[in-house]
């Protein structure tokens, strides 16, 4: 775990950093994934949709923004760690923060993204559905995960 890690809520001023982390982490973790949006579209998406409409947390270190998560209700729409910060506990810190805020989390990831699947399964998520990818922009088979906290009765 990185020393001096600070968790804080994202602001509109963080949109460019979030978009950059999103694009770079996806490219590094999933080089096979179709790129369906331009960098400017990704930036606008974070600035106009994700930050104003979700509960977005940043993990920040003295070296910069290390990662972020975005949750809307029980849906964890994003959890990305900047490539230089991989394997340093940032993802765990972000997922634990999300787990503290709601009794249940659900998310999608791609079936071929074995690193993400191992990460989520290692944090207590269970695969509940598999698709052929026809419903996502990338047309990549995906998997739905769910985590239920100890107090979740639904």
């Amino acid at each position: 775990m990185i020393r001096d890690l600070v968790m804080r809520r994202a602001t509109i001023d963080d949109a460019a950093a979030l978009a950059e982390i999103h694009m770079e982490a996806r490219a590094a973790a999933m080089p096979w994934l179709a790129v369906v949006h331009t960098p400017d579209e990704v930036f606008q998406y974070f600035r106009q949709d994700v930050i104003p409409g979700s509960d977005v947390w940043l993990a920040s270190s003295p070296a910069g923004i290390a990662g972020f998560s975005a949750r809307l209700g029980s849906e964890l729409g994003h959890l990305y760690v900047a490539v230089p910060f991989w394997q340093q506990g940032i993802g765990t810190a972000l997922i634990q923060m999300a787990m503290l805020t709601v009794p249940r989390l659900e998310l999608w990831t791609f079936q071929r993204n074995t690193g993400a699947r191992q990460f989520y399964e290692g944090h207590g998520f269970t695969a509940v559905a598999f698709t052929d990818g026809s419903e996502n922009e990338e047309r990549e088979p995906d998997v739905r995960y769910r985590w239920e906290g100890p107090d979740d009765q639904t």
Side-chain angles (χ1 to χ4, degrees):
M1 178 67 88
I2 292 181
R3 294 182 49 118
D4 301 322
L5 188 67
V6 174
M7 301 293 274
R8 67 171 177 85
R9 292 192 187 260
T11 69
I12 295 299
D13 292 338
D14 298 311
L18 270 60
E20 183 178 334
I21 290 168
H22 171 86
M23 290 182 293
E24 289 178 0
R26 284 171 66 106
M30 301 173 286
W32 39 263
L33 186 63
V35 175
V36 296
H37 294 285
T38 67
D40 188 59
E41 289 171 334
V42 174
F43 167 70
Q44 295 300 334
Y45 168 67
F46 278 96
R47 187 170 68 82
Q48 296 174 357
D49 297 326
V50 176
I51 294 172
S54 301
D55 187 23
V56 183
W57 285 90
L58 300 180
S60 185
S61 81
I65 297 174
F68 71 95
S69 67
R71 180 187 54 75
L72 181 58
S74 64
E75 186 72 21
L76 186 64
H78 301 280
L79 193 155
Y80 289 95
V81 175
V83 175
F85 295 96
W86 283 6
Q87 302 295 315
Q88 297 181 43
I90 304 302
T92 294
L94 288 163
I95 199 77
Q96 287 174 344
M97 175 65 82
M99 290 170 156
L100 290 172
T101 61
V102 291
R104 176 180 12 160
L105 288 170
E106 298 185 58
L107 61 92
W108 289 100
T109 194
F110 298 110
Q111 290 182 32
R112 286 200 283 171
N113 189 350
T114 56
R117 293 185 65 186
Q118 289 171 351
F119 173 81
Y120 291 122
E121 290 169 10
H123 286 86
F125 284 75
T126 303
V128 295
F130 292 83
T131 78
D132 64 3
S134 61
E135 299 295 318
N136 64 53
E137 293 180 308
E138 296 86 358
R139 301 294 183 245
E140 180 69 31
D142 52 10
V143 55
R144 180 82 166 159
Y145 277 98
R146 180 176 297 139
W147 168 83
E148 295 180 359
D151 296 331
D152 189 23
Q153 302 296 320
T154 59

